[in-house]
Amino acid sequence: MSTINITIDNKSVQVEKGTTILKAAQKVGIHIPTLCYMHLEDLNIEHKPAGCRICVVEVAGRRNLAPACATECTEGMVINTHSLRVLNARKTVMELILSDHPTDCLVCAKSGNCDLQAMAHQLGIRKIHYQGEQSTYREDTSPAIIRDMDKCIMCRRCETMCNDFQTVGVLSAVNRGFMAVVAPAFEQNLDHSPCTYCGQCVAVCPTGALTEVDHTNQLIRTLADPTKTVIVQTAPAVRAALGEEFGLPAGTLVTGKLVAALRQLGFDYVFDTDWAADLTIMEEGTELLDRLTRYLNGDKSVTLPILTSCCPAWVKFFEHQFPDLIDVPSTARSPQQMFGSIAKTYFAQMLGIDRKNLVVVSIMPCLAKKYECTRPEFSVDGNPDVDFSISTRELANLIKQSNIDFLSLPDEDFDDPLGESSGAGVIFGTTGGVIEAAVRTAYEIYSNKPLPRIDFHELRGLDGIRHATIDFNGLPLNIGIAHGLGNARKLLEEVRAGKSQYHAIEIMACPGGCIGGGGQPLHHGDSSIIKARQKAIYLEDSNKPIRKSHENPYIQKVYHEFLGKPMSEKAHHLLHTIYFDRSKKQFVVSHE
Amino acid sequence: MANYKIHILVCGGTGCKSSESDMIAHYLRSELTQHGLSDEVQVVMSGCFGFCEKGPIVKVMPDNIFYVGVKPADAKTIVEEHIIKGRTVQHLLYNDPITGQKITESRKMDFYQQQYRIALRNCGFIDPENIDEAIARNAYQALGKVLTQMKPQEVIDIIKRSGLRGRGGAGFPTGLKWEIASKVPGDEKYVVCNADEGDPGAFMDRSILEGDPHSVLEAMAICGYCIGASQGLIYIRAEYPLAIERLKIAIKQAREYGLLGNNIMGTGFNFDINLRYGAGAFVCGEETALIHSMEGNRGEPTFKPPFPAEKGYKGKPTNVNNVETFANVPAIILNGAEWFAAIGTEKSKGTKVFALAGKINNVGLIEVPMGTKLRTVIYDIGGGIKNNKKFKAVQIGGPSGGFLTEKHLDTPIDYDSLTEAGSMMGSGGMIVMDESDCMVAMAKFYLDFTVEESCGKCAPCRIGNKRLNEILEKITEGKATEEDLTLLRNLGHVIKDTSLCMLGGSSPNPVLSTLEHFYDEYLAHVRDHRCPAGQCKALVHYTIDPEQCVGCTACARACPVNAISGERKKPHVIDQLICIKCGTCVEKCKFNAVLVQ
Amino acid sequence: MTKVKTLDDLIRLRDELRTRIDLREKGEHPDQLIQVKVAMATCGIASGAKEVMDYFIDELPKRNVAAVVTQTGCMGYCYAEPTIEVTLPGKKPVVFGYVNKEKADEIIEKYIKAGELVDGIIPQTFKKPS
């Protein structure tokens, strides 16, 4: 690679040919402001439409200003990043963007966490000279995501995530000019589209255009209801990220404080979704072994590979896009739903209360979980197994609303009997974790021998598609892993074509797995945060006294006292599910 | 083949067609048949003659009689008087407005005298739906010469030496463009013809495609040979159904003759052309947006580099040229680079087609050598300002161009001189304005267009142009202040400086150039709440001069909103709050008592 | 449909087709060609001017004479019909009267091709109104 010499703001710098002005400037500590540009390096996602024109800089000899994010350096280039001309242009462009944006900051969900607000502040905007008509659109509320396109600044990040990375293809720019907006086809609502509610669009939106449905107020009212026993379960990925909302560095584990906070908020019992994750391993691991042995014995009615099914966005994805493969995934429910199902039967019985008076709330890194709670098959006589789900971000806000000083909380432990988990349950939060947890249990059941090693590093990492072969006591088990629905699609196409080499595939919809979920603290374009969270998950796992799901005494207890054995009729009824073909087009042209 | 003694050419361009020129041809044919002359007299629907103001045009050859303003009912007269009796039909001849004389030959008319038709060489001469006529006029000779006698680089050198520059507006040297594409490695390349022609009022490309489609097809094949492409695509706007039809016929005939397709003229060179349709987006005239539209994606421009020559259609090397640019190529190959370079100026060679419109006597399509003065075009060729009004400004380059004033009339028409003068060549639209045109309203007219057509991708164009338009609207409604003029100027410059593509990069031009040349008009609007040209309705006041008014009540009776009151024989008064400024009172008053200010 | 298999095919085809439209080309630039105008008013037609015109149209190309033949209105010499007016490039127009096929043949060989004056010229004392 050849190097070239350029000058930025009178500083000389040598860069590789092909480097953009933006990256070259970073090398010498010059941070050119950007708005639509997004580079998630660890996930190989670079979004540079060069559309917002905030990063424009002056290049000697060039007639107009150049967008730093997309313009490549050439030998001898002389760049000025904050001349009067540039500053005037940048501020004018920002004023234009603000002139077509509601002035709702005081009550907007993104206030204090908004890229546009931060940039307006950074650029010192004190007056919007160019006032005029504002483009406005119908608000769209779905079970998980709210689209308020009045606040859209056409950065197109959501489009890139949905089309290029997730390959769900729901969002695209429609209309032309001033009324251009990013929307589903024919400006339908999300709930009439193949949206999976993965929430990656929300995770990257720089304004309040895309936000989650907020259940905080519902939770406050529920906690205040004296007739209800309110219990909470919290996902593994939450404890690895919640601290960021209180100023702690990314990757700080705050499990103990999380539990303490939840107790102070008023939950009657603070339980752990990780416990249910162990339960999922029991069911899914058994199912895996069952299908595997029958397949190897020549049973033609059984298909491989088996796919994990704990991610609701991924489940909705294949219901829309691969309904022909409906027999391929595991029938096991997700840990959230298994928890709810057991809580409202086994635990309600234990407490001696009617399930209608037991409210199950989940704290999730995920927005699709809000939708998952509402699926009709996950309720009994109209009473849902999980009443509602709140995201990590909503929890942080509720903790602040309740005047709790999070950082000075003592570490506390989860309640029993639904609070004890193994390390295998914890690693559900990251890509590669579910299948590693399954392997730890399945190996010992299959071979009747103890694991030679507990950590399966070959299943870990952040590459979009990974594979490994695990030696199951002589049987080579081929495992595939994908995170991000675009990567999942690739593996599914192979399965559809009958060319898949794998016995088992783990799929997670979000980049990095649940740690990168749509409900997590916003990364604002820094993918190293996701990497740090992943490290925290594996750290929690390695610190656990019990590392394998089947060794969790409280799991053994629930089978012994209640379920019988994995895949028993009762287990099947409470912990397994069916899938639906959602590929038929739902065209609703009239808008209510 | 019948030995025709007389050819009657009837203009079949869209303009004349909408004035029933095909009915003229139909009646001519039936009259001739009735008189048993259909074997001796051929009626041909040709391309555009260019003198659209005087259409429908009928030209009789070899007599070289040019009839103007012909109606279908005149067909009978033409056959009976001219064809049979040999008497020229006097009332259909062109009347020279200066001498008052009738002129029979087009080449003697002021409109045509200073034109030099190269791109339009066959328009108005041949039947575009008959490849034989094109071949008789040397169509595909250049292709044959190139394929059998020259190497690709030799051809590129000819185009370079000729000095041909892109006629779509940017003026990039064509030979250089072809050379760049030829050097990019790859065995799948594309030649694309940009026939989107989005400028309002422009119809140069349309006329070429309607009148001489083979010139473009041939040029595309030559380009394909030069750059190593075997596929050509013409992106044509769907609003040109006649041009599309003529192209389809031309391509079909060329394929049948083996002049498109595999092994052209036995040389082993393959080249075929297909059509792609635009769907009503001006922005798709921008080459990257055009390419994305052809790929089935949203027609939005993307950042350059990479340029299409490197990575274009389907990611492959693609050369995009305008229709008129292509139309010049066969003539250059056959007549030589030096011939072309001898026409025009030092940096702008050859000729340019213009669509002359607005407040000018001779509205139509013209082609003049580069370097021709604006004055010549407007006064000699254009015949001067309509109704003897005063020249105010001329707008060149469509919504991307600027306005030039009286002091620019001696500017030669070439790329650099026009840019220096604050306008640009553009694709060839030329609109003339007189004293009754308000320059602010004109700027707003163009902004209305660009606001509608912006793709919406980049903030400065999407929002900036809208705001620019809103300020102009305020000005025309008399609600703006002088501060707004400062904002207008700053915003215009920033939009130009920061837009992603040339739509936004040039849309403020009409505003900035009128601000510069007609600042006093803007001031009158904001400071005095007055529109000097009398066009902005909100700023125009209709009042009755009490000195002139005799109280005849004609205006009061005619006023549709009863805004005028007064007794008989006493001066009347218009209530300004009710008046809707329809102008009926002005029309009715026989005493010139209604003042329009 | 005729297929053009080589460049030579195309050249041959063009030369064949040229005759179809060269009428228009000639009409555009008559000054460099020989112009033959045949009076085709009522008296002219009645005395056979049409056949004379056809004769010129057919014969001139056969004899390799580049010319444009048009019809015109009454030239005024009704007593001498059929009349024709021949203009050689650069020369004044000459009117001939009583033109039949034999006379036409003579005019072509002697006047048009060789420039020799022939009997039957009508003196141009009559000034045509412009």
Side-chain angles (χ1 to χ4, degrees):
Chain A
M1 259 286 180
S2 52
T3 56
I4 52 176
N5 298 294
I6 60 166
T7 313
I8 307 182
D9 293 349
N10 289 319
K11 290 191 191 169
S12 297
V13 58
Q14 224 182 40
V15 292
E16 269 177 29
K17 206 157 170 265
T19 309
T20 59
I21 295 178
L22 183 68
K23 299 278 186 203
Q26 280 167 9
K27 258 188 113 178
V28 277
I30 297 173
H31 295 284
I32 299 171
T34 61
L35 190 52
C36 66
Y37 179 74
M38 180 178 73
H39 192 189
L40 297 167
E41 277 187 65
D42 302 279
L43 304 166
N44 264 323
I45 303 171
E46 193 179 12
H47 170 79
K48 52 176 177 182
C52 70
R53 316 310 279 186
I54 291 291
C55 68
V56 288
V57 293
E58 201 171 335
V59 173
R62 184 180 156 134
R63 181 189 59 86
N64 60 357
L65 298 176
C69 63
T71 310
E72 284 180 13
C73 297
T74 55
E75 176 63 47
M77 206 183 230
V78 176
I79 301 151
N80 190 324
T81 72
H82 61 270
S83 67
L84 178 60
R85 175 180 169 201
V86 171
L87 285 177
N88 179 48
R90 207 176 277 151
K91 285 189 191 211
T92 305
V93 171
M94 179 50 96
E95 282 182 39
L96 288 175
I97 297 174
L98 293 176
S99 79
D100 187 22
H101 196 86
T103 43
D104 275 3
C105 283
L106 291 176
V107 293
C108 178
K110 288 293 273 284
S111 181
N113 208 358
C114 171
D115 291 347
L116 182 68
Q117 192 184 49
M119 186 52 61
H121 182 74
Q122 182 180 330
L123 294 181
I125 309 294
R126 292 289 167 267
K127 183 174 174 188
I128 301 172
H129 294 91
Y130 306 96
Q131 302 273 15
E133 190 188 326
Q134 291 202 359
S135 50
T136 119
Y137 309 91
R138 193 183 77 247
E139 192 173 280
D140 170 17
T141 307
S142 66
I145 297 171
I146 301 177
R147 288 179 54 245
D148 182 2
M149 290 296 108
D150 292 5
K151 297 180 181 170
C152 175
I153 58 168
M154 291 297 278
C155 74
R156 319 290 283 274
R157 289 185 189 173
C158 55
E159 198 182 345
T160 294
M161 289 308 279
C162 191
N163 291 345
D164 300 340
F165 186 70
Q166 299 293 63
T167 70
V168 175
V170 163
L171 296 172
S172 170
V174 301
N175 301 339
R176 191 172 67 197
F178 192 65
M179 292 306 286
V181 70
V182 178
F186 307 104
E187 290 187 78
Q188 297 272 322
N189 283 350
L190 274 181
D191 58 7
H192 281 121
S193 73
C195 174
T196 64
Y197 304 118
C198 71
Q200 283 310 302
C201 54
V202 176
V204 299
C205 180
T207 70
L210 293 168
T211 52
E212 66 273 21
V213 173
D214 195 315
H215 286 93
T216 318
N217 286 339
Q218 185 174 354
L219 178 55
I220 294 174
R221 279 193 291 271
T222 306
L223 287 169
D225 187 342
T227 66
K228 304 276 191 249
T229 305
V230 189
I231 68 176
V232 66
Q233 49 156 325
T234 115
V238 178
R239 66 208 66 187
L242 183 62
E244 293 162 33
E245 294 284 285
F246 299 95
L248 293 171
T252 312
L253 279 172
V254 292
T255 320
K257 292 193 189 337
L258 165 63
V259 176
L262 290 169
R263 232 169 241 133
Q264 280 202 24
L265 283 173
F267 284 101
D268 294 302
Y269 293 90
V270 179
F271 290 135
D272 195 342
T273 313
D274 296 9
W275 173 88
D278 282 337
L279 190 60
T280 307
I281 291 301
M282 299 306 296
E283 293 298 319
E284 210 165 323
T286 310
E287 193 188 348
L288 160 68
L289 289 174
D290 177 55
R291 272 165 71 165
L292 184 67
T293 39
R294 276 160 56 197
Y295 178 84
L296 293 173
N297 287 336
D299 185 342
K300 294 288 178 204
S301 72
V302 147
T303 52
L304 282 183
I306 182 173
L307 274 50
T308 60
S309 54
C310 41
C311 169
W314 137 238
V315 165
K316 194 159 191 284
F317 178 74
F318 91 76
E319 282 178 328
H320 280 289
Q321 317 251 0
F322 293 90
D324 49 314
L325 303 181
I326 224 154
D327 292 327
V328 173
S330 153
T331 55
R333 296 188 190 187
S334 69
Q336 168 179 276
Q337 295 304 138
M338 282 197 185
F339 180 96
S341 185
I342 294 293
K344 294 225 178 177
T345 51
Y346 174 67
F347 186 64
Q349 278 171 34
M350 221 185 247
L351 289 183
I353 56 173
D354 190 296
R355 65 178 285 142
K356 287 203 207 64
N357 290 326
L358 183 69
V359 179
V360 175
V361 178
S362 69
I363 317 288
M364 291 284 148
C366 171
L367 299 185
K369 291 290 177 192
K370 290 176 187 274
Y371 153 76
E372 197 184 25
C373 303
T374 67
R375 284 179 74 126
E377 66 270 25
F378 294 146
S379 60
V380 174
D381 295 329
N383 178 265
D385 287 338
V386 177
D387 291 84
F388 55 90
S389 168
I390 71 166
S391 63
T392 316
R393 294 193 294 265
E394 288 161 89
L395 176 64
N397 183 259
L398 184 57
I399 290 173
K400 290 173 188 168
Q401 276 187 45
S402 311
N403 308 324
I404 296 171
D405 183 1
F406 187 77
L407 293 176
S408 58
L409 286 172
D411 286 342
E412 292 184 14
D413 284 324
F414 288 102
D415 291 318
D416 289 320
L418 308 178
E420 183 67 51
S421 65
S422 72
V426 175
I427 57 177
F428 263 61
T430 167
T431 167
V434 175
I435 204 72
E436 183 173 340
V439 161
R440 290 182 192 173
T441 294
Y443 179 93
E444 294 200 347
I445 296 180
Y446 177 78
S447 66
N448 241 324
K449 279 197 211 154
L451 279 167
R453 57 189 167 108
I454 300 199
D455 298 306
F456 288 86
H457 292 279
E458 61 266 52
L459 298 172
R460 303 183 184 184
L462 272 181
D463 284 348
I465 297 179
R466 311 193 290 287
H467 44 244
T469 306
I470 312 282
D471 179 6
F472 256 45
N473 200 30
L475 168 70
L477 197 70
N478 292 332
I479 297 191
I481 298 167
H483 60 112
L485 292 170
N487 293 319
R489 182 185 286 277
K490 292 191 185 132
L491 294 186
L492 286 168
E493 301 276 351
E494 283 177 8
V495 174
R496 189 182 252 165
K499 293 203 180 113
S500 182
Q501 310 265 25
Y502 305 111
H503 296 110
I505 301 178
E506 177 211 273
I507 297 187
M508 295 200 183
C510 292
C514 308
I515 44 172
Q520 290 284 64
L522 298 175
H523 52 63
H524 295 288
D526 182 2
S527 56
S528 69
I529 291 177
I530 297 177
K531 219 171 168 179
R533 292 174 189 163
Q534 189 182 56
K535 252 180 125 183
I537 294 282
Y538 286 118
L539 179 64
E540 172 110 328
D541 165 38
S542 62
N543 286 337
K544 283 268 187 188
I546 302 174
R547 309 284 302 280
K548 309 166 208 163
S549 303
H550 53 282
E551 289 179 357
N552 183 339
Y554 286 91
I555 293 295
Q556 292 164 355
K557 193 163 181 285
V558 78
Y559 277 108
H560 183 69
E561 290 177 7
F562 189 64
L563 293 168
K565 58 178 173 62
M567 307 270 287
S568 69
E569 206 190 306
K570 197 166 195 177
H572 211 91
H573 176 67
L574 290 173
L575 307 175
H576 289 256
T577 183
I578 51 171
Y579 305 111
F580 302 90
D581 179 344
R582 297 184 201 273
S583 62
K584 216 168 26 139
K585 296 193 197 321
Q586 297 181 59
F587 252 5
V588 178
V589 183
S590 63
H591 302 298
E592 299 99 66
Chain B
M1 202 61 269
N3 214 359
Y4 292 119
K5 299 189 184 95
I6 296 182
H7 296 200
I8 305 182
L9 301 168
V10 181
C11 181
T14 294
C16 290
K17 255 194 154 198
S18 44
S19 296
E20 299 187 298
S21 68
D22 41 2
M23 288 310 290
I24 298 174
H26 173 78
Y27 285 137
L28 281 170
R29 287 193 183 108
S30 66
E31 284 292 320
L32 291 166
T33 311
Q34 268 180 46
H35 290 278
L37 293 167
S38 36
D39 282 341
E40 291 178 31
V41 182
Q42 186 188 27
V43 177
V44 172
M45 290 289 285
S46 73
C48 178
F49 283 89
F51 207 165
C52 308
E53 176 74 32
K54 297 293 174 198
I57 309 270
V58 172
K59 192 168 179 180
V60 183
M61 301 302 267
D63 311 21
N64 206 352
I65 306 291
F66 194 84
Y67 288 127
V68 299
V70 180
K71 296 194 193 39
D74 294 324
K76 197 166 149 76
T77 318
I78 292 177
V79 172
E80 285 175 0
E81 290 296 308
H82 184 145
I83 306 299
I84 297 178
K85 296 186 191 159
R87 291 192 268 227
T88 319
V89 183
Q90 293 295 312
H91 76 267
L92 291 177
L93 287 176
Y94 174 71
N95 224 324
D96 186 313
I98 297 174
T99 64
Q101 302 277 39
K102 289 200 187 290
I103 302 183
T104 56
E105 291 181 32
S106 53
R107 64 197 177 126
K108 298 211 171 108
M109 296 173 192
D110 281 340
F111 182 73
Y112 284 106
Q113 287 222 336
Q114 304 201 51
Q115 292 195 43
Y116 190 161
R117 290 161 84 92
I118 300 179
L120 296 174
R121 58 190 176 278
N122 289 329
C123 292
F125 203 89
I126 60 168
D127 176 0
E129 298 187 12
N130 188 345
I131 191 175
D132 286 343
E133 299 209 356
I135 289 178
R137 288 279 278 181
N138 290 318
Y140 300 100
Q141 289 292 326
L143 178 62
K145 182 173 176 192
V146 149
L147 291 179
T148 56
Q149 294 167 30
M150 301 184 195
K151 292 204 177 45
Q153 188 59 43
E154 285 175 66
V155 185
I156 291 174
D157 287 336
I158 292 178
I159 304 294
K160 279 170 84 173
R161 275 198 333 263
S162 74
L164 178 65
R165 287 168 72 167
R167 296 288 191 254
F172 191 82
T174 310
L176 188 57
K177 208 177 201 184
W178 289 18
E179 191 170 58
I180 294 172
S182 75
K183 292 207 157 80
V184 176
D187 50 10
E188 188 185 337
K189 296 187 187 178
Y190 293 90
V191 174
V192 171
C193 173
N194 185 344
D196 196 48
E197 193 163 58
D199 283 5
F203 57 102
M204 300 73 60
D205 296 346
R206 190 195 79 208
S207 304
I208 293 173
L209 291 172
E210 286 175 359
D212 187 14
H214 289 283
S215 66
V216 174
L217 301 179
E218 183 182 2
M220 287 175 74
I222 293 173
C223 177
Y225 178 68
C226 290
I227 72 170
S230 61
Q231 300 233 47
L233 291 162
I234 301 179
Y235 185 82
I236 181 165
R237 57 184 305 190
E239 296 96 321
Y240 280 174
L242 183 57
I244 290 174
E245 198 194 307
R246 300 246 163 106
L247 270 174
K248 280 186 174 163
I249 294 172
I251 292 174
K252 179 166 176 285
Q253 291 177 347
R255 282 183 186 149
E256 281 166 359
Y257 276 46
L259 295 162
L260 279 180
N262 287 337
N263 196 15
I264 296 177
M265 291 190 248
T267 59
F269 175 63
N270 306 333
F271 194 81
D272 200 4
I273 297 177
N274 283 294
L275 299 182
R276 290 281 190 279
Y277 308 110
F282 173 68
V283 71
C284 286
E286 197 278 340
E287 62 180 2
T288 58
L290 188 156
I291 287 173
H292 293 308
S293 170
M294 288 202 302
E295 291 168 336
N297 290 325
R298 185 171 157 90
E300 275 178 338
T302 41
F303 186 70
K304 294 192 277 203
F307 289 88
E310 211 186 300
K311 244 179 156 189
Y313 182 63
K314 294 187 181 172
K316 304 290 178 189
T318 306
N319 179 72
V320 183
N321 273 128
N322 169 269
V323 169
E324 194 186 329
T325 314
F326 276 130
N328 278 293
V329 169
I332 293 174
I333 302 289
L334 288 181
N335 297 331
E338 290 67 30
W339 160 79
F340 194 76
I343 306 165
T345 67
E346 196 199 320
K347 297 226 183 97
S348 305
K349 301 292 184 193
T351 56
K352 179 77 189 78
V353 179
F354 287 98
L356 207 49
K359 303 288 179 65
I360 198 163
N361 278 318
N362 297 337
V363 166
L365 196 71
I366 66 170
E367 187 172 357
V368 291
M370 294 280 196
T372 306
K373 294 218 169 85
L374 267 178
R375 193 185 292 280
T376 311
V377 172
I378 294 173
Y379 288 99
D380 298 338
I381 301 176
I385 311 298
K386 237 186 170 119
N387 295 329
N388 268 319
K389 289 211 166 155
K390 203 167 165 311
F391 170 82
K392 188 168 185 185
V394 61
Q395 212 274 0
I396 309 185
S400 315
F403 294 83
L404 296 178
T405 60
E406 207 172 340
K407 58 180 195 271
H408 297 114
L409 276 176
D410 289 305
T411 312
I413 296 178
D414 68 57
Y415 290 99
D416 305 299
S417 304
L418 288 176
T419 315
E420 257 175 60
S423 182
M424 68 185 269
M425 178 75 76
S427 58
M430 201 186 274
I431 306 195
V432 179
M433 275 143 260
D434 69 17
E435 70 232 28
S436 65
D437 288 302
C438 171
M439 299 318 286
V440 183
M442 281 309 303
K444 181 170 180 305
F445 166 75
Y446 282 113
L447 252 304
D448 285 342
F449 178 74
T450 40
V451 164
E452 177 73 32
E453 296 294 330
S454 164
C455 75
K457 182 167 177 180
C458 74
C461 177
R462 178 179 80 243
I463 311 173
N465 276 329
K466 177 91 177 152
R467 297 289 174 247
L468 215 55
N469 200 20
E470 284 167 347
I471 299 177
L472 284 171
E473 176 126 6
K474 265 174 86 179
I475 296 175
T476 57
E477 288 179 354
K479 296 186 184 147
T481 64
E482 270 183 72
E483 201 210 326
D484 285 317
L485 295 183
T486 319
L487 289 179
L488 204 61
R489 194 177 274 126
N490 180 53
L491 188 55
H493 282 297
V494 171
I495 294 172
K496 273 191 78 145
D497 220 9
T498 56
S499 287
L500 176 68
C501 81
M502 280 310 285
L503 189 154
S506 65
S507 55
N509 284 346
V511 180
L512 292 173
S513 80
T514 47
L515 270 175
E516 185 176 326
H517 297 304
F518 298 96
Y519 192 64
D520 47 316
E521 259 187 83
Y522 279 89
L523 271 184
H525 281 73
V526 305
R527 231 179 16 203
D528 312 331
H529 296 288
R530 199 175 57 86
C531 173
Q535 200 183 336
C536 299
K537 288 277 173 214
L539 301 181
V540 168
H541 302 291
Y542 287 73
T543 47
I544 296 179
D545 185 349
E547 310 265 305
Q548 299 283 357
C549 177
V550 302
C552 72
T553 78
C555 59
R557 279 179 279 129
C559 176
V561 292
N562 287 324
I564 308 181
S565 55
E567 290 171 32
R568 261 191 184 282
K569 305 246 169 103
K570 294 236 171 78
H572 281 41
V573 169
I574 299 175
D575 187 340
Q576 294 302 318
L577 294 172
I578 305 177
C579 172
I580 57 167
K581 294 153 197 195
C582 64
T584 308
C585 51
V586 186
E587 283 169 41
K588 289 290 177 193
C589 181
K590 294 191 174 60
F591 300 94
N592 285 326
V594 184
L595 301 171
V596 183
Q597 290 153 328
Chain C
M1 275 285 171
T2 43
K3 257 269 193 203
V4 171
K5 295 213 171 68
T6 62
L7 177 57
D8 287 334
D9 278 356
L10 183 68
I11 293 175
R12 222 173 302 122
L13 186 61
R14 176 199 61 191
D15 293 339
E16 266 173 50
L17 293 169
R18 230 195 200 135
T19 50
R20 274 206 228 165
I21 60 161
D22 66 1
L23 202 62
R24 300 176 210 169
E25 274 174 357
K26 289 180 188 171
E28 284 286 358
H29 308 284
D31 312 313
Q32 293 117 44
L33 301 167
I34 296 165
Q35 297 172 63
V36 177
K37 291 201 176 99
V38 183
M40 204 73 81
T42 314
C43 35
I45 296 173
S47 26
K50 215 169 180 332
E51 288 77 19
V52 173
M53 185 168 170
D54 287 343
Y55 184 79
F56 275 106
I57 288 175
D58 294 330
E59 288 298 313
L60 286 169
K62 274 196 201 149
R63 301 184 201 193
N64 278 322
V65 179
V68 52
V69 183
T70 56
Q71 64 190 34
T72 182
C74 176
M75 282 198 259
Y77 312 111
C78 314
Y79 63 92
E81 293 292 350
T83 53
I84 66 169
E85 180 192 89
V86 181
T87 315
L88 298 180
K91 298 237 170 85
K92 277 210 164 84
V94 177
V95 180
F96 295 89
Y98 302 109
V99 180
N100 54 17
K101 279 200 187 146
E102 287 81 23
K103 198 75 193 194
D105 177 48
E106 203 190 337
I107 290 171
I108 293 174
E109 289 303 316
K110 294 229 176 102
Y111 182 58
I112 290 178
K113 283 171 92 165
E116 286 173 26
L117 292 174
V118 165
D119 287 342
I121 296 174
I122 297 177
Q124 295 276 278
T125 51
F126 172 67
K127 277 221 166 55
K128 286 206 284 266
S130 47

